[in-house]
Structures are given as structure tokens and as C-alpha cells.
Amino acid sequence: MLRVLRVLLVVTCLAGLVTPAEATTTAASDPARAELRGIVENVAGATGKRYGVKDDAGHVMDTVKIIQDSTGGYLAVSHHLAGDGHFRVNLATSSDLLNWHWVRELAGSNTGPASQPTIVQASNGGFVLAWEQEQPGGGNNHLAFRYFANRTDLLAGQVSRAYDAPRRLSSCAEGTPNIYSVTLSPDIDHSTIDVGGHYWWNCDRDRQQRGTLTNFTSWSTAAQPNFDNALLYWGVNGNIGDRDNTTFRGYSFGLIEGQYTKGDFGSWRTFVYDYQTGNADRTTISTDGGSTAFANPTITNLKAPNGQPAFVITLFIPSEGAASGESGELIYYKTY
């Protein structure tokens, strides 16, 4: 009888009727997930924050990803819509997480429209950059990767390795990358890069994928239906797209966007995903003005300007769900 009950429980979870964490009444990661959710939700009580972020050259810093700069301060990649109607990927530096100095464009003018960037520093000091690439005339969205051997090369835009991933899961579009890890054995030509992304399922809605870039020369990927199910459970009927990951209190968590209604930008919400249990928590994010829609989340565990451990979180607030003065890119950080 016990074996039958276990089978029924697995079938029920796969059917999306309950999430894995609900199937087990408690999980070891529950307290840490709840604490992290509280940090993400409390924008109004953040240690520091800025709405409608732009760099000192006037570029909006949409979908910004921030990492620690090993030489001091912070590095960020983001995209903006140029005057020709095409997206560009930019690099910026900061000493305080809120004010940003534009360094250079990294992709867009010469590659065709480039958006949704992310970046990570490898153990050897090099940097792996990924973004969603379109062909110069538009379309053919796919994941693009570039490697910079060191910080000097990154700031100069000097690429050492380049790879554009063929689409494997959708004939229409794949994109919005995050990088889970970079493993060097011992260098970038002998490496394993673990990557998350979305694919345009049936050319209709974004769904989740996870892939591996091996030796910067080959790409494999697979759909992640259990990841999708964690948001489908909450009634998300539109796109399930951008995500980012972090560790907290010894557990792995992520932030992921879900659109309740296809085509409705005001229905974007951000969820906290638990990689241990495979379920997601809805968030009720509280901004100073009361914005309601939140997309393109990123999260990074780093040291705040005062040296304390902190999370820096970024969200895009669509105008359809924005309070006065809050639309555009939001950066906020909380020490703990």
C-alpha cells in the first residue's frame, strides 16, 4: 500500500496538481527560502535602491546583471534600445551599486540586435558573457557567448573566444540566458558552462531550458518541464522566461519571471524558485510607490559598499504595472 501511495504522489506532482514542496509538508530549505523571499519583497526597506536606472552616458540599463569586481566595486551588463530601433549590450562600472559609469558597448552594432545579457567571472579571472542574439535583419533569436581572458580585455571589448549556439528546442526563438556555473579543466578550451535559458515553445509561449556549452565549441540543451510546472501551478498562462540563481544559507534558489496573461505586460510577476524541492513561491513585492508588475529578475550575492554581505536584486518594472516614477529598471540591495 505504501508503494502505491508513493506512485500516486509522484503522478500527482507530475500532473501539476501539487508542487513537490507541498507533497512533503516541510523541507530543510523552507526557512532559508522564506528569508530570501522577504529580502526580495521588501524594496521599500532595502539598504539602497534606485528606480529608472541609467548610466552616466544616458543609456537605460534594462535587464541589468551586476557582479562583484575583483579589483573593487562592481561590473554590470545591460541592454538599451538604440536610436535605430535595435538593442545593444553595454558594460558599466560602479563603486556604490547605484551610480554607473558607461564603459563601452559589447554587442549590438556589429552583431545585430543583442539583448538580455548576463556575465560571470571564471576561476581564472576571465569573464563569460552571454546574451540573446538576433540576426541583423531581425529574427533567428539564439544564445550567443563570448569569453574575455581578463578584466583588461573585458573593458577593452577584446574577445578571446566566441560561440553562437544553434537553436535546439524551438524553430522560432531561444534566449534570456543565465549562467549557473563555469568549470575550467583547466582552461576555457577545456570547460563546462552550465546555462539556463528560455525557448519559444510551439512558437507561442516562452518555456524553460537548461544547456551545456562544452569547450566553447559545442552546445547541448533540454527542456525543463518541472521548472515550468512550478509556475504553471500558480496559474501562469503566458510566458515563463528570464531567471537567475544564487545560493543562500547553503541552499540553491532562483528568481524567475512569469506572465499570468499572454500579451499583458502588467501581469508579469517574479517568483522565488527552490532548486531543492522544485517548487516556487509567489512574491508580493512592495515598492515605495506600489508598483505591481515585475519582470527580468536577477540576483547576486556580493559584498555591499560598506563591506557587509548583501544581495543585489534587479527587476524591470513595465509601465503597465508601474507606480509614478518607478517604471524601467530597478536596482536595490539589502545587507544581511
Side-chain angles (χ1 to χ4, degrees), residues 164-229:
D164 281 57
R167 291 200 304 266
R168 303 292 193 196
L169 302 175
S170 172
S171 62
C172 294
E174 299 181 15
T176 62
N178 72 296
I179 299 173
Y180 288 104
S181 64
V182 176
T183 303
L184 306 180
S185 304
D187 53 29
I188 197 64
D189 294 322
H190 306 83
S191 61
T192 302
I193 302 173
D194 185 6
V195 182
H198 83 256
Y199 68 100
W200 203 9
W201 170 74
N202 285 344
C203 299
D204 180 61
R205 289 172 172 83
D206 291 340
R207 292 294 183 260
Q208 295 301 292
Q209 66 168 312
R210 189 162 178 171
T212 303
L213 176 59
T214 304
N215 302 334
F216 237 84
T217 59
S218 65
W219 171 251
S220 62
T221 191
Q224 300 291 295
N226 287 343
F227 204 162
D228 295 327
N229 286 344

Side-chain angles (χ1 to χ4, degrees), residues 49-55 58-62 98 315-317 325-331:
K49 59 180 174 290
R50 175 151 296 175
Y51 297 94
V53 179
K54 296 182 179 180
D55 62 31
H59 307 110
V60 297
M61 295 180 64
D62 291 347
L98 302 180
L315 298 166
F316 181 76
I317 304 179
E326 293 188 352
S327 65
E329 193 69 11
L330 165 64
I331 295 175

Side-chain angles (χ1 to χ4, degrees), residues 242-307:
D242 205 0
R243 83 231 54 78
D244 202 13
N245 65 293
T246 191
T247 58
F248 184 54
R249 309 298 189 202
Y251 298 102
S252 297
F253 300 106
L255 299 184
I256 181 168
E257 63 176 5
Q259 185 185 39
Y260 274 90
T261 304
K262 181 183 175 182
D264 180 5
F265 283 87
S267 71
W268 281 108
R269 299 293 184 269
T270 289
F271 298 76
V272 177
Y273 182 76
D274 189 327
Y275 286 92
Q276 287 69 223
T277 64
N279 77 317
D281 287 349
R282 290 187 296 187
T283 62
T284 304
I285 295 173
S286 176
T287 67
D288 295 83
S291 294
T292 57
F294 306 96
N296 297 110
T298 77
I299 184 168
T300 308
N301 201 333
L302 43 62
K303 289 189 180 298
N306 66 2

Side-chain angles (χ1 to χ4, degrees), residues 29-275:
S29 56
D30 285 354
R33 188 178 71 250
E35 184 180 358
L36 180 61
R37 187 177 70 246
I39 292 171
V40 172
E41 290 178 332
N42 191 13
V43 178
T47 306
K49 59 180 174 290
R50 175 151 296 175
Y51 297 94
V53 179
K54 296 182 179 180
D55 62 31
D56 60 1
H59 307 110
V60 297
M61 295 180 64
D62 291 347
T63 70
V64 63
K65 172 63 177 178
I66 299 168
I67 61 172
Q68 197 95 49
D69 187 343
S70 58
T71 67
Y74 310 94
L75 299 166
V77 290
S78 61
H79 76 228
H80 82 284
L81 189 63
D84 62 1
H86 292 163
F87 286 108
R88 306 280 190 263
V89 168
N90 290 320
L91 174 69
T93 61
S94 175
S95 61
D96 64 3
L97 288 172
L98 302 180
N99 297 284
W100 292 90
H101 169 63
W102 181 76
V103 176
R104 66 180 308 107
E105 180 184 308
L106 292 174
S109 293
N110 297 324
T111 63
S115 62
Q116 310 284 346
T118 191
I119 192 169
V120 67
Q121 187 168 21
S123 59
N124 66 348
F127 294 86
V128 177
L129 172 71
W131 70 85
E132 182 172 338
Q133 179 65 52
E134 298 179 52
Q135 64 186 14
N140 190 32
N141 295 48
H142 62 275
L143 295 171
F145 300 90
R146 301 293 183 269
Y147 175 71
F148 303 85
N150 50 55
R151 184 181 185 276
T152 299
D153 283 1
L154 175 66
L155 268 61
Q158 183 63 48
V159 174
S160 295
R161 301 287 186 277
Y163 183 81
D164 281 57
R167 291 200 304 266
R168 303 292 193 196
L169 302 175
S170 172
S171 62
C172 294
E174 299 181 15
T176 62
N178 72 296
I179 299 173
Y180 288 104
S181 64
V182 176
T183 303
L184 306 180
S185 304
D187 53 29
I188 197 64
D189 294 322
H190 306 83
S191 61
T192 302
I193 302 173
D194 185 6
V195 182
H198 83 256
Y199 68 100
W200 203 9
W201 170 74
N202 285 344
C203 299
D204 180 61
R205 289 172 172 83
D206 291 340
R207 292 294 183 260
Q208 295 301 292
Q209 66 168 312
R210 189 162 178 171
T212 303
L213 176 59
T214 304
N215 302 334
F216 237 84
T217 59
S218 65
W219 171 251
S220 62
T221 191
Q224 300 291 295
N226 287 343
F227 204 162
D228 295 327
N229 286 344
L231 270 64
L232 293 172
Y233 168 83
W234 292 110
V236 173
N237 292 316
N239 292 314
I240 301 173
D242 205 0
R243 83 231 54 78
D244 202 13
N245 65 293
T246 191
T247 58
F248 184 54
R249 309 298 189 202
Y251 298 102
S252 297
F253 300 106
L255 299 184
I256 181 168
E257 63 176 5
Q259 185 185 39
Y260 274 90
T261 304
K262 181 183 175 182
D264 180 5
F265 283 87
S267 71
W268 281 108
R269 299 293 184 269
T270 289
F271 298 76
V272 177
Y273 182 76
D274 189 327
Y275 286 92

